[in-house]
Amino acid sequence: MELRTQRLLLRPWRDDDREPFAELNADPEVMRYFQAPLTRAQSDALAERAGSTIAERGWGLWAVEAVDVAPFIGFIGLAEPRFEAHFTPAVEIGWRLARAHWGRGYATEGAHATAAFAFDELGLDEIVSFTTVTNEPSRRVMERLGMTHDEADDFEHPNLAPGDPLRTHVLYRLRRG
Ligand SMILES: CC(C)(COP(=O)(O)OP(=O)(O)OC[C@H]1O[C@@H](n2cnc3c(N)ncnc32)[C@H](O)[C@@H]1OP(=O)(O)O)[C@@H](O)C(=O)NCCC(=O)NCCS
């Protein structure tokens, strides 16, 4: 399954995505709101997992191509959080783009198509998104999508240690329109 937008193709992963994916995962600015940049092995494992999930069930975190601009700029798509929290089980919408492709509206454009797929094709009633409180660029994507934030939903990420400055997360929700 692929999704097309005006400027993007959200598509299955290819082997030649691994190199540019490892580059963006090694960029400290891209990974500023995560615990650490990823090693090549960690990056490849993430690409492998995203690719095989899409191959198995047809949807997931898609590799993103900016048509006529770059064959791979990052990922946008859907995932099921593997940790337990007050809002799980849930389907999460997420994005991670290489720095050279920020500031052009690509994340929001791909996310709109992803949300439409979640509601119209998968028939979900709700999708969520979450990030550490200080990740304003990601929160702005959520807000542009029309997602709403209720402080009562904020949570401590169970995979981060108490005292970790990234631990407190905001949760945004979007219900089928
Ligand atoms: C989160 C992330 C994808 C957001 O990228 P982004 O470029 O800010 O978001 P978009 O692609 O939606 O682009 C929107 C920006 O482009 C601008 N823009 C320029 N041309 C545009 C166009 N044609 N259409 C829409 N917006 C456009 C908007 O004004 C907006 O800028 P602003 O937020 O400064 O107002 C990016 O910061 C990232 O990859 N971060 C690292 C990974 C990460 O933290 N992921 C989230 C973890 S939960």
Side-chain angles (χ1 to χ4, degrees), residues 7 29-31 33-34 95-98 101-109 130-131 135 137-138 140-142 144:
R7 296 177 295 171
E29 195 57 34
V30 170
M31 299 305 283
Y33 299 106
F34 296 86
W95 34 74
R96 186 182 303 173
L97 301 182
H101 302 284
W102 294 359
R104 291 174 166 78
Y106 288 149
T108 304
E109 183 172 319
F130 50 84
T131 189
N135 189 347
S138 193
R140 283 200 294 276
V141 177
M142 296 170 198
R144 283 191 290 268

Side-chain angles (χ1 to χ4, degrees), residues 15-49:
D15 287 347
D16 58 1
D17 298 329
R18 302 256 169 132
E19 184 86 39
F21 191 47
E23 253 171 57
L24 78 84
N25 283 323
D27 180 344
E29 195 57 34
V30 170
M31 299 305 283
R32 181 169 163 195
Y33 299 106
F34 296 86
Q35 281 189 298
L38 301 188
T39 64
R40 177 71 200 236
Q42 289 169 324
S43 177
D44 284 354
L46 181 53
E48 171 65 36
R49 197 161 69 233

Side-chain angles (χ1 to χ4, degrees), residues 81-147:
R82 294 187 296 168
F83 59 85
E84 259 182 54
H86 70 86
F87 58 91
T88 62
V91 175
E92 169 202 5
I93 185 166
W95 34 74
R96 186 182 303 173
L97 301 182
R99 217 187 325 166
H101 302 284
W102 294 359
R104 291 174 166 78
Y106 288 149
T108 304
E109 183 172 319
H112 269 298
T114 299
F117 173 85
F119 296 129
D120 300 343
E121 305 297 325
L122 299 183
L124 301 179
D125 290 324
E126 182 182 71
I127 55 175
V128 301
S129 194
F130 50 84
T131 189
T132 194
V133 175
T134 50
N135 189 347
E136 291 294 341
S138 193
R139 295 182 65 166
R140 283 200 294 276
V141 177
M142 296 170 198
E143 284 158 16
R144 283 191 290 268
L145 267 182
M147 302 190 88

